[in-house]
Amino acid sequence: MLKKLLIIAALSMGLTTQAQTRSDSESALRKLNIAEVAVKNLYVEEVDEQKLVEDAIRGMLEKLDPHSSYTTPKETKAMTEPLNGSFEGIGVQFNMVDDTLIVIQPVINGPSEKVGIIAGDRIVMVNDTAIAGVKMTKEEIMRRLRGPKGTIADLRVVRSGIKDLLTFKVKRDKIPVHSIDATYMLRPGIGYIRIGNFSATTYDEFMESMSKLKQQGMRDLVLDLQENGGGYLQAAADLAGEFLNTGDLIVYTEGRRVPRREYRAPANGSFRDGKVVVLVDQYTASAAEIVTGAIQDQDRGMVVGRRTYGKGLVQRPIDLPDGSMIRLTIAHYYTPSGRCIQKPYEKGNKKSYDQDIINRLNRGELTNADSIHFADSLKFETLKKQRTVYGGGGIMPDYFISLDTTKYTKYHRELAAKSIIIQQNLRYVDQNRKKLQKTYSDFASFKANYEVPQSFIDMIVKEGEKQNIKPKDEAEMEKTLPYLRLQLKALVARDLWDMSEYFSVINEDSETVKKALELLSE
């Protein structure tokens, strides 16, 4: 009888607790609603009710973790567009020089290329509205060039060597947004793929890149995830699976109200035999850390660089009726060995969280491996070779590469900050495009033989002087020149070809890439 009474009492207490929780929740919602109604109807001045609600939502989320967030409809569209793999527009890469839009490259098989727009063209009018020489912002110009698929953009174009304005009617279409920045053969037998983010199209792009490299004789791969801020979890899991065996664990997620969910390789991957080196840095985050952690924990490859960012919180997008969105953290990411990717944080203190990279630099962590310390409690073991790896936030590489703080002189940084290097590069290529294309019929001959002329350097120095930017002394100028010349050569290659050629040039001076090549040659 006593046992029966205890059970009834326990059930009663449970129901009471549930009822109390429900009552507290309803009370809190009523409280929030009363406050909103009171401000709207009684405040001394007129208020924007929409903004009031948005501020209340932001206020709630700001007291949680650093990655729970609210975005307006406009912000949501801008945030999701790169991850969806396409946008609608005319299909040109462009930049601004002296308030004039210069086409860097039309998108291959895009709507602009189909009607005859070429690199070097200046678009001066869109639908009878002047966009050149009127100090229109780049964002406003993009808004005018973009538009729904099937609509017409009536363009007026200035082309070098042609006296009159050219007219093009461009039918807007879906323009792909590529998440893979570069694909090329780094050395005979060694391929290189750099991924900028993980979008809806990343896996397909990756498989296409792999196929291209295999046809060129790739046996081993350098996978560059430096500065990759992440993206879609599923895209990362699909990609990681290509390096693993059937059933190998890639990542799992778990939260207070979210049960453990595992992501495993669904089948034997297409690249299980060749050696792999993953390149990372302090900006490698989220989905990119998932790929890195899976390859490291499964002893599938080596990781080179600096400790990654440490973004291991899973957000669930909650769409609101007006197109705005709440991204609410619901779980943590864990690598196959059980490491939590997320670095420590204090709730509601986003400022301190955002200072973490600067704090790492000040502590010497980005420049000296000895400055990095882990507690014994953060030790984990890889699954096959039982190598020691560490938790506590981010992925610690197997081989540390110091951040080279001497590569950019103060003079170089100031030139870059004022966009002088980019602007003068655009002018140089614009003035010399035909000559360069005639001299260098392909990229191989350009890479082997092109040297940045002194006149190009003089253009930059002269423009810097106009803006009161000068080297401290001759020694600083001499120290600036080697990397500046390499950067300019890479930018010229980008504008004549594409980003793969840019990285092919710039990577020749990368200590991280050099270490990867050393490991692959062993």
Side-chain angles (χ1 to χ4, degrees):
M1 183 68 179
L2 178 60
K3 186 177 179 181
K4 187 175 181 181
L5 286 171
L6 286 171
I7 292 172
I8 292 170
L11 289 171
S12 177
M13 285 174 67
L15 291 171
T16 302
T17 301
Q18 289 176 9
Q20 182 64 46
T21 301
R22 191 162 52 247
S23 175
D24 289 346
S25 177
E26 290 170 355
S27 175
L29 288 172
R30 280 200 306 273
K31 188 175 178 180
L32 187 63
N33 187 51
I34 290 168
E36 193 269 338
V37 171
V39 173
K40 176 190 171 186
N41 292 292
L42 300 176
Y43 185 63
V44 65
E45 296 173 3
E46 191 78 22
V47 296
D48 182 337
E49 190 174 5
Q50 180 71 21
K51 188 174 184 303
L52 206 63
V53 172
E54 288 180 352
D55 288 346
I57 295 171
R58 282 197 173 98
M60 283 190 285
L61 298 177
E62 283 169 2
K63 298 300 180 184
L64 304 178
D65 64 275
H67 296 291
S68 290
S69 62
Y70 168 83
T71 52
T72 65
K74 185 178 179 180
E75 290 167 341
T76 301
K77 184 179 180 184
M79 179 181 68
T80 57
E81 196 171 68
L83 297 179
N84 289 335
S86 68
F87 64 90
E88 295 175 349
I90 67 167
V92 293
Q93 297 176 36
F94 71 91
N95 217 319
M96 304 297 295
V97 177
D98 296 332
D99 294 332
T100 302
L101 183 157
I102 296 181
V103 175
I104 305 299
Q105 295 283 356
V107 173
I108 295 173
N109 294 323
S112 288
E113 186 187 60
K114 287 177 180 176
V115 299
I117 289 176
I118 62 174
D121 280 351
R122 290 159 164 76
I123 300 176
V124 296
M125 295 183 73
V126 181
N127 295 336
D128 297 324
T129 300
I131 64 170
V134 293
K135 296 193 181 299
M136 189 177 288
T137 65
K138 192 172 181 178
E139 289 72 23
E140 177 62 19
I141 291 172
M142 287 175 64
R143 188 185 68 79
R144 292 177 182 277
L145 294 175
R146 292 185 179 186
K149 178 181 177 180
T151 58
I152 301 296
D154 191 355
L155 308 181
R156 300 289 189 276
V157 171
V158 173
R159 181 171 293 171
S160 178
I162 296 179
K163 183 179 179 181
D164 298 323
L165 283 177
L166 300 176
T167 299
F168 294 95
K169 291 188 179 294
V170 183
K171 189 175 183 180
R172 295 183 179 95
D173 204 346
K174 286 244 180 222
I175 308 301
V177 177
H178 297 295
S179 60
I180 290 187
D181 295 331
T183 301
Y184 71 97
M185 291 299 290
L186 191 57
R187 294 289 187 273
I190 300 175
Y192 171 93
I193 298 176
R194 182 181 175 100
I195 304 177
N197 61 49
F198 285 89
S199 73
T201 60
T202 300
Y203 176 73
D204 290 338
E205 290 179 51
F206 176 74
M207 296 306 290
E208 185 179 330
S209 292
M210 292 291 282
S211 175
K212 176 181 174 182
L213 293 175
K214 285 178 180 178
Q215 288 172 16
Q216 296 176 46
M218 178 184 70
R219 297 184 303 274
D220 303 322
L221 175 68
V222 175
L223 180 63
D224 192 346
L225 300 182
Q226 295 177 98
E227 299 182 14
N228 184 316
Y232 289 144
L233 165 61
Q234 191 60 57
D238 290 344
L239 189 147
E242 292 301 320
F243 299 99
L244 304 175
N245 296 314
T246 303
D248 281 350
L249 183 61
I250 296 165
V251 67
Y252 66 91
T253 62
E254 197 166 18
R256 181 176 68 94
R257 290 293 183 91
V258 178
R260 173 167 168 148
R261 180 182 177 186
E262 296 183 346
Y263 293 78
R264 294 180 177 272
N268 284 335
S270 61
F271 195 74
R272 291 175 294 125
D273 299 323
K275 290 188 278 188
V276 182
V277 176
V278 184
L279 311 185
V280 299
D281 63 11
Q282 62 275 21
Y283 300 110
T284 303
S286 190
E289 292 176 290
I290 288 170
V291 174
T292 306
I295 289 175
Q296 188 180 55
D297 280 8
Q298 294 288 357
D299 290 298
R300 179 60 190 87
M302 304 306 287
V303 180
V304 175
R306 292 178 289 282
R307 181 164 70 92
T308 62
Y309 185 85
K311 197 275 186 185
L313 298 175
V314 184
Q315 281 76 50
R316 175 174 291 171
I318 300 169
D319 296 317
L320 301 176
D322 64 347
S324 58
M325 178 188 287
I326 291 173
R327 299 182 77 246
L328 188 67
T329 297
I330 60 166
H332 286 92
Y333 291 124
Y334 296 88
T335 69
S337 67
R339 290 182 286 169
C340 179
I341 294 172
Q342 180 61 40
K343 62 187 175 184
Y345 62 88
E346 179 187 344
K347 285 185 178 180
N349 192 353
K350 193 170 188 303
K351 184 178 179 181
S352 173
Y353 185 82
D354 291 340
Q355 287 285 315
D356 178 59
I357 300 297
I358 294 173
N359 292 338
R360 291 192 204 182
L361 180 62
N362 292 337
R363 291 194 301 266
E365 184 180 325
L366 302 184
T367 54
N368 191 338
D370 293 338
S371 298
I372 306 168
H373 304 287
F374 294 100
D376 287 343
S377 61
L378 298 176
K379 280 186 178 180
F380 291 78
E381 289 187 344
T382 60
L383 302 189
K384 293 180 174 62
K385 297 182 180 178
Q386 285 73 54
R387 295 183 300 118
T388 298
V389 289
Y390 291 93
I395 305 295
M396 186 65 190
D398 301 298
Y399 295 92
F400 176 82
I401 302 296
S402 171
L403 176 67
D404 187 353
T405 56
T406 65
K407 181 176 287 186
Y408 292 99
T409 63
K410 183 174 183 286
Y411 177 54
H412 194 160
R413 288 196 300 271
E414 288 178 348
L415 289 172
K418 292 288 187 178
S419 299
I420 291 171
I421 295 171
I422 291 291
Q423 292 290 310
Q424 295 308 310
N425 171 72
L426 288 168
R427 282 196 178 91
Y428 170 80
V429 174
D430 189 46
Q431 294 166 6
N432 296 278
R433 186 183 298 274
K434 289 183 179 178
K435 180 182 175 182
L436 288 166
Q437 289 173 333
K438 185 177 180 180
T439 305
Y440 305 104
S441 57
D442 56 38
F443 173 66
S445 64
F446 173 90
K447 187 176 180 182
N449 301 301
Y450 175 79
E451 293 184 6
V452 174
Q454 185 59 42
S455 59
F456 192 178
I457 300 294
D458 292 341
M459 286 169 58
I460 291 170
V461 172
K462 186 176 179 180
E463 185 60 32
E465 289 173 349
K466 284 183 184 177
Q467 300 190 38
N468 202 31
I469 298 172
K470 300 175 183 178
K472 179 176 63 176
D473 50 32
E474 191 62 31
E476 185 177 25
M477 174 62 86
E478 290 302 312
K479 195 173 181 181
T480 299
L481 286 175
Y483 194 74
L484 177 60
R485 289 183 186 279
L486 181 74
Q487 183 184 22
L488 292 172
K489 182 173 180 176
L491 288 169
V492 172
R494 179 201 66 180
D495 291 351
L496 293 179
W497 288 279
D498 211 333
M499 289 302 293
S500 290
E501 287 73 21
Y502 170 89
F503 283 104
S504 180
V505 173
I506 210 76
N507 281 339
E508 292 301 312
D509 190 56
S510 167
E511 294 302 318
T512 312
V513 172
K514 288 177 184 177
K515 184 62 181 180
L517 288 171
E518 178 189 319
L519 291 171
L520 292 174
S521 67
E522 290 176 355

